[in-house]
Structures are given as C-alpha cells and as structure tokens.
C-alpha cells in the first residue's frame, strides 16, 4: 500500500457547486415501473439528483467553485502556485481541462496545472498530491478541483445506474502552514477495471458497434463485494497510520455511493451514524466530488470551536480506494452554490464583497 504522513499543510476551504436542474427520481422517471423505482430509491437512498443542462461541463462547476472560494479567502489569481483537476468527465481529450480552468481563473504563467484521471477515489488522491507539493516547498497555495458529470454517461434504459448518479464540481484550497499531521492511504486493483467501465469512445474502441458501449456498464455485485471488503480495512489502516481511534475522529465523510452500502460498513466498523453525513437523498451519487460536496454540507452551517479530525473515504472505478485523514480548523471556509445561481455559505456577504472589489 502507499501511505503518507504529511505536515505543514492547512485546509483553508472547500467549495461545492451543483446544477440548478433537479431530477426527482419518483416523480420524473418515466421509463421504469414506478414500483421498481420506489425499491431502488429506498435501497440506494437517492430521492433526487442534480443534472447539468446541455453544454455545461464538469469544468464549469469546478471553475465557479474555485472562483467563489478564492474570493472568500482573498486569494489573488497570481498567488496560486498549482491547480490539480481530478476528473473522468473532461471537456476534451486534449488539452487538459486544468488548462481551460487556468485560462478562466486568470492564473499566472508560473502556476503548474494538470489533470488526474481518477473517478470515485479521486479527492483523497488529489489532496495527497497537493499536500505533497506544499510539504516539499514547491508550492505555497494549491487548488484541488474535482468535478464529474456522470448523468452524461448513464444510459436511459439502465435502471442500475440512471437512478443513482448526479453531477457536481468542487474546489479545495491548500496552503502552507499549521502544525497538523494529515494521513493518506491509497490503493488500486486494476484486475477490476471492467467492473465500472465505458467501453467505447477511447482509442481502444473509438466507435463501438453497439451504441450502448458509449455509456456506463456496472457490475453491481462486484462493486458491492469490493466495497464492503476494502473500505473497513481502509478505515482501520488509516486510524492505525495516524494513531487515532474512531472515537477520537469527529466525522467520516464517505463517497456517497449507496445508502445501504454505507450503513453496512458503519455497522461492520461500529461507527455511529451521527458521525457519517449523508447527501445522497438530495444530490445522488456524484462520483468523487460527493466527498467534498458532503464536507461542505456538513460544515457550512456548523460552528467549529476546535480543530476537528475528519476521515475522507473514497472508492470505486479503477478499481481504486483511498483515504485522507485531515484536520478542519475553526477558520476553514465551506461554501456551496448552484450553477448558475446563488452562493449559500457562511460569511456570504464577505465573499461577495471581496469578489466585487
């Protein structure tokens, strides 16, 4: 396994952005039997999802999250040393999506930008990369973005995936400073590469004979078995790595894959449900961005009176799984917004004032 203990990095803020369009699974689904839809909703816990309009990409959601977060933190464009864009929903094969966001945010030419092609497990991986850049001294300020639009690659006849996935983007701001120690545990198993796959569209099979291969295929039982086996091990290994216990950990932020799976893992690991925030009912499974999305919804209206320890857990396509054990400070900023639409966050007035100046 790949593990790391990293010091001298501060989580300055996290922002999330979702489309304004709401799809109610039970009211708006027309291609499946209502009784079957009701069963899926009850098991997975996805009552509604946010889905992008035509022409809106993951980059658009991430750009707005980053823009608002930078304004909130009073970060100038030329103060950002690196931007990491984690996505499997790119605008183009080339150039990198990070390059487009670099353009839109007006970042300087000394800023390093690149894409990371990871999905469900990507947010902890992105934080690991960004925090290593800070710890090494090569960067003082890093933006880690993660955005996905899985509603674009689910097939309208596939009940197993269509009713699960929503779209979201996010931005996290890392900065040098602080005395906290963060822990990371990162894993992969390429033998399960086809348990979640879009077979067509890449250079291996650019124009598949079956149009269905341009959309997501999921082996649900394999994904379930993989998750319930690997994630409890990941939780225990991460706690051992950082020298903490589940009782000492304030929150466990899960990738919002499936309500049944998360509750099964919580029971297996004896984790109290009040420490596991859920956003599935409102936003669905947004892929990797579900982790920062759930963070913003848990913390944006909460008064953090002391540093809180939060374990971020992500797992899925690849197959890959990862964790980040981070510290949330009293002054860490959390924002959430619709695209296009309004910002809802603590200190909203301050953020808007800074953006207009």
């Amino acid at each position: 396994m790949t593990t790391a203990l990293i010091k001298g990095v501060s989580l300055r803020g996290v922002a999330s952005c979702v489309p304004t369009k709401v799809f109610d699974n039970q009211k708006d689904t027309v291609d499946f039997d209502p009784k079957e839809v009701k069963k899926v909703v009850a098991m997975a816990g996805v009552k509604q999802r946010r889905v992008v309009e035509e022409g809106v990409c993951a980059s658009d959601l991430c750009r707005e999250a980053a823009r608002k977060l930078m304004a909130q933190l009073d970060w100038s464009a030329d103060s950002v040393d690196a931007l990491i864009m984690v996505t499997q929903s790119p605008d183009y094969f080339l150039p990198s999506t990070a390059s487009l966001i670099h353009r839109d945010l007006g970042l300087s030419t000394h800023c390093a930008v690149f894409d990371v092609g990871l999905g469900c497990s990507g947010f902890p991986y992105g934080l690991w990369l960004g925090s290593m850049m800070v710890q090494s001294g090569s960067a003082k300020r890093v933006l880690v973005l993660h955005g996905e639009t899985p509603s674009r690659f689910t097939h309208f006849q596939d009940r197993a995936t269509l009713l699960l996935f929503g779209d979201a983007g996010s931005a996290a701001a890392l900065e040098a400073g602080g005395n906290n120690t963060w822990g990371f545990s990162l894993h992969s198993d390429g033998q399960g590469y086809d348990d979640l796959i879009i077979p067509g569209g890449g250079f291996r099979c650019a124009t598949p004979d079956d149009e269905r291969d341009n959309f997501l295929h999921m082996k649900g039982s394999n994904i379930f078995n993989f998750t319930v086996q690997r994630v409890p091990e990941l939780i225990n290994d991460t706690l051992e790595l950082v020298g903490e216990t589940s009782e000492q950990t304030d929150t466990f932020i899960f990738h919002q894959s499936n309500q049944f799976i998360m509750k099964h893992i919580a029971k297996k690991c004896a984790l109290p449900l009040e420490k596991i925030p859920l956003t599935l009912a409102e936003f669905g499974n947004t892929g990797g961005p579900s982790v920062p999305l759930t963070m913003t919804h848990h913390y944006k209206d909460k008064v953090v009176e002391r540093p809180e320890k939060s374990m971020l857990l992500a797992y899925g396509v690849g197959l890959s799984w990862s964790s980040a054990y981070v510290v949330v400070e009293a002054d860490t900023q959390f924002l959430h917004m619709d695209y296009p639409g309004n910002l809802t966050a603590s200190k909203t007035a301050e953020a808007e004032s800074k953006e207009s100046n």
Side-chain angles (χ1 to χ4, degrees):
M1 77 178 75
T2 297
T3 60
L5 290 172
I6 295 179
K7 298 181 179 180
V9 183
S10 176
L11 181 63
R12 299 287 289 114
V14 182
S16 57
C17 181
V18 296
T20 55
K21 183 179 178 181
V22 178
F23 188 98
D24 186 299
N25 272 344
Q26 295 195 62
K27 293 180 180 179
D28 299 332
T29 302
V30 296
D31 293 312
F32 306 123
D33 185 326
K35 292 181 180 179
E36 292 300 314
V37 173
K38 189 175 182 179
K39 289 180 182 178
V40 173
V41 169
M43 174 170 286
V46 181
K47 295 180 180 179
Q48 63 183 38
R49 302 170 285 118
R50 299 293 185 95
V51 295
V52 292
E53 301 283 1
E54 187 67 29
V56 177
C57 296
S59 63
D60 298 310
L61 305 178
C62 289
R63 181 193 64 239
E64 292 309 301
R67 182 174 287 164
K68 295 291 187 182
L69 184 58
M70 289 172 66
Q72 177 86 341
L73 298 173
D74 199 21
W75 279 19
S76 63
D78 63 0
S79 73
V80 178
D81 300 307
L83 182 148
I84 301 168
M85 176 63 179
V86 184
T87 189
Q88 290 189 324
S89 307
D91 289 42
Y92 308 103
F93 275 132
L94 59 91
S96 70
T97 304
S99 296
L100 306 179
I101 297 175
H102 176 277
R103 173 202 63 189
D104 293 341
L105 295 179
L107 304 181
S108 72
T109 55
H110 73 242
C111 180
V113 302
F114 57 93
D115 286 0
V116 174
L118 282 171
C120 306
S121 65
F123 190 61
Y125 268 90
L127 293 181
W128 170 63
L129 287 168
S131 61
M132 284 198 301
M133 296 171 77
V134 172
Q135 182 178 249
S136 72
S138 61
K140 291 183 179 179
R141 287 179 172 176
V142 177
L143 288 173
V144 177
L145 314 185
H146 195 175
E148 300 290 357
T149 53
S151 72
R152 289 274 185 85
F153 47 73
T154 52
H155 194 271
F156 73 96
Q157 293 180 328
D158 186 2
R159 185 186 63 199
T161 61
L162 183 68
L163 299 175
L164 295 181
F165 291 104
D167 305 323
S170 67
L174 308 182
E175 188 171 36
N179 298 314
N180 298 310
T181 299
W182 292 4
F184 296 90
S185 185
L186 312 159
H187 309 258
S188 59
D189 181 5
Q191 296 299 322
Y193 80 99
D194 61 349
D195 288 341
L196 273 170
I197 189 173
I198 301 174
F203 292 118
R204 180 68 60 184
C205 183
T207 55
D209 294 332
D210 185 352
E211 180 266 349
R212 176 68 180 81
D213 284 346
N214 287 314
F215 296 89
L216 182 68
H217 292 249
M218 180 175 73
K219 298 178 181 177
S221 60
N222 288 7
I223 294 296
F224 174 83
N225 292 333
F226 151 73
T227 304
V228 298
Q229 175 187 351
R230 296 299 189 181
V231 177
E233 296 173 352
L234 180 64
I235 292 171
N236 292 332
D237 290 345
T238 305
L239 290 173
E240 183 177 350
L241 173 69
V242 297
E244 303 284 356
T245 66
S246 59
E247 291 77 16
Q248 294 169 318
T249 304
D250 296 288
T251 56
F252 294 84
I253 309 289
F254 280 73
H255 161 49
Q256 303 290 293
S257 56
N258 178 298
Q259 176 181 262
F260 177 78
I261 290 176
M262 287 188 286
K263 289 185 176 181
H264 178 89
I265 294 171
K267 183 176 180 181
K268 188 173 183 178
C269 296
L271 303 179
L273 292 179
E274 58 269 21
K275 287 190 176 186
I276 304 175
L278 297 177
T279 55
L280 264 171
E282 185 177 358
F283 299 108
N285 178 345
T286 60
S290 70
V291 174
L293 175 62
T294 303
M295 288 187 78
T296 61
H297 274 261
H298 178 70
Y299 281 110
K300 69 183 178 67
D301 297 320
K302 180 180 180 180
V303 177
V304 178
E305 297 179 345
R306 58 169 179 78
E308 290 199 2
K309 301 167 184 176
S310 185
M311 185 187 296
L312 316 181
L313 297 157
Y315 41 89
V317 61
L319 295 170
S320 59
W321 58 108
S322 63
S323 68
Y325 198 96
V326 303
V327 176
V328 174
E329 303 283 1
D331 61 350
T332 303
Q333 300 296 301
F334 293 93
L335 318 177
H336 177 73
M337 67 211 72
D338 290 345
Y339 177 90
N342 298 318
L343 172 68
T344 58
S346 58
K347 300 184 180 179
T348 301
E350 290 183 24
E352 297 294 347
S353 175
K354 289 174 181 176
E355 187 176 28
S356 63
N357 291 334

